[in-house]
Amino acid sequence: MLNQQSPIPLYHQLADIFIDQIRSGRYKPGDTIPSETGMAKQYKIGRPTVRQAMDILVRKGLVERKRGSGTYVRNQDYSI
């Protein structure tokens, strides 16, 4: 869960959670990541915070966004 008292920004905490879940196999290549709205409700944070976290995952090459379809886990080489 996210720690509101931590000096680490919430979006970094959320990104780390999803990185761990992707690398552990919780989300496999091709799986859809929950929607920004759904994650915002689940973690009780704002949608812009979720968007920032997803931006990190996109930049790291872990997920890809498909407009109008969703965000999907990409095939990994795990050298990241």
Side-chain angles (χ1 to χ4, degrees):
M1 284 313 291
L2 302 178
N3 181 354
Q4 302 278 344
Q5 307 306 317
S6 173
I8 300 170
L10 292 174
Y11 68 93
H12 273 292
Q13 293 180 49
L14 183 60
D16 288 343
I17 288 169
F18 273 91
I19 289 169
D20 290 344
Q21 290 180 344
I22 290 168
R23 290 193 173 152
S24 73
R26 161 74 170 85
Y27 291 106
K28 296 174 178 37
D31 283 355
T32 304
I33 297 292
S35 70
E36 290 177 2
T37 306
M39 282 190 276
K41 286 179 184 176
Q42 177 182 350
Y43 291 100
K44 297 178 177 67
I45 56 177
R47 228 180 99 227
T49 304
V50 174
R51 179 172 287 276
Q52 284 181 293
M54 290 301 106
D55 286 344
I56 290 172
L57 299 181
V58 169
R59 284 195 305 271
K60 287 183 177 273
L62 296 172
V63 300
E64 65 181 327
R65 288 185 175 123
K66 294 184 181 178
R67 188 179 193 124
S69 180
T71 304
Y72 298 88
V73 178
R74 294 183 62 183
N75 287 325
Q76 306 304 312
D77 62 8
Y78 294 107
S79 62
I80 300 171

